[in-house]
Amino acid sequence: MPAAIVTVLTFLALVGLAWLFLTRTVLGRGFSVPLRTMLRAPETAQYPEQPRPVQPRFHGRHQLNRYADGLEKCIGCELCAWACPADAIYVQGEDNTPQARYSPGERYAEDYQINYNRCILCGLCIEACPTRALTMTHDFEISADNYDALVWTKDQLLAPVPPGGEDTPHPDREVRRRGLNYYGGLAVTPPTLHGGSFAPATPAPASRAAQVVPEVGDPTHRKGR
Amino acid sequence: MAIDPTATPSATPPATAADLDDDIYVEGADWESVVDAVSDDHITVNMGPQHPSTHGVLRLVLDLDGETVTRLTPIVGYLHTGIEKNTEVRTWVQGTTFVTRMDYLSPFYNEAAFCLATEKLLGVRVPERAEVVRVILLEFNRIASHLVWLATGGMELGSTTVMEFGFREREHILDLFEAQSGLRMNHAYIRPGGLAQDVTDDFLERSAALVDLLAERMRDYEDLLVENPIWHARLKNVGRIDADTCLRLGVTGPVLRAAGVPWDLRKAQPYSGYERYEFDVPTRTEGDSFARFLIRLEEMRQSMHIIRQALEVLPGGPVMVDDKRIAWPSQQSLGADGIGNDPDYIRHIMGESMEALINHFKLVTQGFTVPPGQVYVPVESPRGELGYAVTSIGTNKPYRVHVRAPSFVNLQAADVMARGQGVADVVVVVASLDPVMGDVDR
């Protein structure tokens, strides 16, 4: 028999024996597991150095959002506090005034606190928010070494002022001049003011439609549904 | 112990705990009565509540005759959370965020049972799509729960490889849950009337890929454990319990099926459309810990079978009942600012329909009322029969929510299973019961 055939047959016999060992014997079946695992890519996440991205719908810490012009979306309605099953949210509403306007509505959140000692991150608050003022971000590294640091106040929760916008408060006259359609609907622009005069609700002119950016940053929304 | 090694054996040993007070400095709770109860040839050993192999904070008081257990007394209550009571001061929707925290390894089962009970009281039937998605998530949750059982059980026997394998695969399942609900555990995703939001667009492909992955990884556990002599030596003939004893103690779940009773609520009293899926109820007759191990492996495989069928029949349509008086109003979407209410929905309630805004406010602040009545809804959780006995008196909050927790009831069997076994086998007995202390103490 030529040497080449012998080599091939020996090789095949060895492969067959190895296969029999790995599938038919108790010891071999046990050892087949580490062999298989060695061939797989490791699944270990190097967390603090290379954090793994979270899923898009992740419930991280909250954020209080702003409109493109810097006005706060929160209207101080306290629905988030009502929805919260853990009693973690405290909202103190206050009236907007002609000199100082914080939000498009009548009222704004003068104080807003989320107590992360209590919060269970269930997300009922963001589902309750009628203006998308409250959203949940992908930030989850909020641990602290004392209770007080876990009570987040409004200045910590509030999103940064978007480029081109101004920090609140705004003069009411300025806000009216912009004539922005804050909620995207027809009937609420321009906003009414406590103690102020009521302007007729008219649709925003088509020329202004491009200015209506309901979101800070990326105006296009990817629907989660 | 405080026995002086230099003392002569003829010295009369102290008779009561009070006599020992000067020598040993252990006190608290019922320690003195435990010490007093020690008879001459028996010793009592306290195991837990802070013990790595007692699944959290289970405390076991073992009466030992040498190395043999003559009595095992589980003492529970160290993880009491008052969740049952707390649901009485929360609306029905808020209740789901509470009950999901009881059995934290199978949160979807708690949500599903609570919501099924609420829906039964309301007299509504959830849409087809919500029902099928629930089944898929429930079965994934069963696999995840059994994987944790495998992982922790293996770790308690010293096999850390099994622990890494179990948690490795569970991680993928939790990723799927996170993609749907935003939370890896304690989701509050199943709501009375349907689901909190629809599943993601890639749910079908992702779930199918995950089932394939899990089916492939099942081979690892089988190759590693099923014929492993050490695994056999530790599990076989340990913690035996027969069908009669199981029935007398009210034991359900894999422990009952390992004793030979083919009792599975998914077959016996189908809910959420389980009657439409084809699957087997695995049983064995040995009734020992090894039989429970095999049963759980087979259950994982059956769960994958159910998921594959459900993925095929997943219909389109809404995931929440049409009744606007019940349906939680929000519609969520993703943006640069994270997840929050959809701008279209905001425009609708803030700009177009005052009625919709009023309804939104009413549902968020008050919730819906549920007609008076009392129901008991059981589901087959990974641990056995998980039943919710819910009473409503017609208000927006439950009058009483009582949970028939499988971990709690199954824990009764630990005494029967451990008697006559060695101390090391107690770890196996507790592990094979798979109790979750959050479920036991509630």
Side-chain angles (χ1 to χ4, degrees):
Chain A
M1 228 193 297
I5 295 180
V6 173
T7 312
V8 168
L9 283 179
T10 314
F11 177 71
L12 286 178
L14 283 175
V15 168
L17 276 176
W19 182 79
L20 280 176
F21 172 69
L22 288 176
T23 56
R24 290 286 178 272
T25 61
V26 174
L27 193 64
R29 284 187 71 182
F31 276 125
S32 73
V33 177
L35 283 179
R36 225 178 293 146
T37 313
M38 278 161 68
L39 297 175
R40 293 193 194 119
E43 300 198 18
T44 313
Q46 302 297 334
Y47 164 61
E49 291 85 22
Q50 299 155 21
R52 220 168 48 132
V54 295
Q55 303 291 328
R57 288 180 179 177
F58 184 73
H59 285 188
R61 72 157 177 88
H62 302 76
Q63 174 175 291
L64 278 174
N65 295 307
R66 292 178 190 262
Y67 291 103
D69 58 3
L71 274 188
E72 295 160 17
K73 288 189 178 180
C74 181
I75 52 172
C77 72
E78 299 184 22
L79 267 196
C80 45
W82 274 93
C84 183
D87 293 340
I89 304 183
Y90 172 79
V91 187
Q92 178 64 54
E94 189 57 65
D95 286 339
N96 283 312
T97 61
Q99 291 77 36
R101 173 169 280 285
Y102 291 82
S103 76
E106 276 178 42
R107 286 162 74 77
Y108 71 101
E110 192 256 332
D111 191 6
Y112 195 103
Q113 296 174 6
I114 294 182
N115 185 346
Y116 285 107
N117 296 299
R118 296 190 65 97
C119 178
I120 57 176
L121 298 163
C122 65
L124 284 187
C125 47
I126 58 168
E127 297 177 26
C129 183
T131 61
R132 202 187 164 102
L134 197 63
T135 52
M136 282 176 126
T137 63
H138 287 184
D139 177 20
F140 57 89
E141 292 167 329
I142 53 174
S143 57
D145 59 4
N146 64 87
Y147 293 138
D148 289 348
L150 279 169
V151 180
W152 282 47
T153 50
K154 189 182 170 187
D155 51 322
Q156 290 168 289
L157 292 164
L158 205 57
V161 181
E166 262 180 63
D167 198 6
T168 47
H170 295 192
D172 188 45
R173 195 182 294 136
E174 280 294 312
V175 176
R176 282 158 183 278
R177 191 176 300 142
R178 282 177 225 139
L180 290 180
N181 189 347
Y182 287 99
Y183 303 124
L186 304 175
V188 287
T189 305
T192 57
L193 243 195
H194 175 77
S197 60
F198 285 82
T202 50
S207 60
R208 290 207 191 109
Q211 300 176 15
V212 180
V213 186
E215 283 315 310
V216 175
D218 181 13
T220 56
H221 276 77
R222 194 152 64 82
K223 284 228 170 177
R225 285 172 285 131
Chain B
M1 286 291 284
I3 294 165
D4 181 7
T6 58
T8 52
S10 60
T12 317
T16 64
D19 297 333
L20 281 168
D21 269 354
D22 293 340
D23 299 328
I24 57 172
Y25 299 94
V26 181
E27 54 184 308
D30 52 354
W31 177 254
E32 299 209 345
S33 63
V34 167
V35 172
D36 285 343
V38 174
S39 59
D40 291 340
D41 45 352
H42 285 68
I43 59 163
T44 304
V45 171
N46 189 51
M47 182 176 166
Q50 305 295 335
H51 189 281
S53 66
T54 51
H55 285 238
V57 284
L58 172 61
R59 178 180 167 205
L60 302 168
V61 176
L62 306 173
D63 284 6
L64 300 178
D65 182 0
E67 183 74 7
T68 312
V69 177
T70 53
R71 194 175 61 180
L72 180 153
T73 316
I75 298 176
V76 299
Y78 290 94
L79 201 59
H80 183 64
T81 44
I83 289 175
E84 276 181 3
K85 188 72 186 167
N86 259 313
T87 52
E88 294 168 19
V89 294
R90 300 288 167 202
T91 64
W92 295 89
V93 170
Q94 286 175 333
T96 57
T97 67
F98 277 71
V99 297
T100 187
R101 284 168 161 75
M102 288 187 193
D103 182 350
Y104 40 79
L105 291 184
S106 53
F108 276 126
Y109 286 89
N110 290 275
E111 296 169 26
F114 179 75
C115 292
L116 285 170
T118 312
E119 286 151 11
K120 199 169 174 185
L121 283 166
L122 284 165
V124 300
R125 191 177 162 81
V126 300
E128 184 89 6
R129 182 175 172 83
E131 224 170 41
V132 178
V133 171
R134 279 184 187 183
V135 166
I136 295 170
L137 294 176
L138 286 176
E139 292 308 321
F140 268 126
N141 205 169
R142 185 186 307 278
I143 298 173
S145 176
H146 282 350
L147 282 173
V148 174
W149 162 80
L150 187 71
T152 55
M155 185 179 66
E156 285 157 13
L157 301 185
S159 170
T160 48
T161 309
V162 180
M163 179 203 66
E164 303 218 342
F165 281 8
F167 281 114
R168 181 185 68 188
E169 267 73 82
R170 175 173 178 259
E171 206 61 8
H172 292 281
I173 302 179
L174 294 190
D175 279 347
L176 179 80
F177 292 167
E178 184 191 338
Q180 311 312 320
S181 67
L183 292 161
R184 299 172 71 76
M185 293 168 77
N186 315 130
H187 318 275
Y189 182 65
I190 298 175
R191 299 276 171 82
L195 303 172
Q197 50 183 327
D198 203 347
V199 291
T200 50
D201 292 337
D202 61 350
F203 179 67
L204 277 180
E205 305 88 64
R206 201 171 170 166
S207 301
L210 181 54
V211 173
D212 291 343
L213 177 90
L214 291 170
E216 184 211 319
R217 298 285 168 89
M218 286 288 292
R219 268 182 64 203
D220 284 5
Y221 321 138
E222 281 167 5
D223 283 348
L224 204 57
L225 297 175
V226 171
E227 290 172 19
N228 188 326
I230 304 170
W231 199 251
H232 281 216
R234 290 303 307 269
L235 294 186
K236 275 205 169 164
N237 288 321
V238 171
R240 287 187 81 126
I241 186 166
D242 60 5
D244 262 0
T245 319
C246 279
L247 294 177
R248 280 170 189 234
L249 292 172
V251 173
T252 49
V255 183
L256 179 65
R257 291 192 281 275
V261 184
W263 177 256
D264 188 321
L265 287 166
R266 293 176 292 173
K267 284 273 191 213
Q269 302 169 16
Y271 52 90
S272 279
Y274 266 111
E275 65 276 6
R276 289 176 297 178
Y277 306 106
E278 187 198 306
F279 62 98
D280 296 332
V281 177
T283 55
R284 295 191 76 84
T285 49
E286 298 92 331
D288 60 0
S289 298
F290 191 70
R292 278 167 230 141
F293 161 69
L294 293 177
I295 290 280
R296 289 200 173 98
L297 277 193
E298 183 56 29
E299 278 187 19
M300 286 200 256
R301 217 172 281 115
Q302 293 300 328
S303 290
M304 294 174 201
H305 191 43
I306 296 174
I307 293 169
R308 285 209 176 95
Q309 296 173 54
L311 288 173
E312 265 172 39
V313 300
L314 180 65
V319 293
M320 186 52 107
V321 289
D322 203 23
D323 191 344
K324 291 292 178 207
R325 289 168 299 175
I326 296 169
W328 183 254
S330 80
Q331 310 292 325
Q332 294 182 75
S333 69
L334 289 166
D337 51 358
I339 186 152
N341 260 329
D342 189 52
D344 282 347
Y345 179 68
I346 302 290
R347 195 192 62 227
H348 179 59
I349 59 170
M350 294 298 283
E352 291 171 358
S353 171
M354 179 54 88
E355 298 302 322
L357 185 63
I358 292 170
N359 189 44
H360 180 100
F361 266 71
K362 215 167 149 49
L363 273 173
V364 170
T365 54
Q366 293 178 359
F368 50 82
T369 58
V370 170
Q374 192 166 22
V375 292
Y376 175 75
V377 177
V379 299
E380 184 70 31
S381 94
R383 271 156 275 285
E385 175 176 338
L386 173 69
Y388 271 69
V390 180
T391 311
S392 170
I393 51 169
T395 58
N396 61 345
K397 298 178 177 76
Y399 177 74
R400 174 87 171 95
V401 176
H402 173 72
V403 184
R404 188 256 186 227
S407 303
F408 179 67
V409 179
N410 289 1
L411 208 51
Q412 294 183 97
D415 184 22
V416 179
M417 286 158 63
R419 281 192 193 199
Q421 313 266 344
V423 178
D425 295 332
V426 169
V427 174
V428 179
V429 164
V430 173
S432 74
L433 276 172
D434 192 18
V436 168
M437 295 319 286
D439 197 26
V440 173
D441 295 338
R442 304 189 297 291

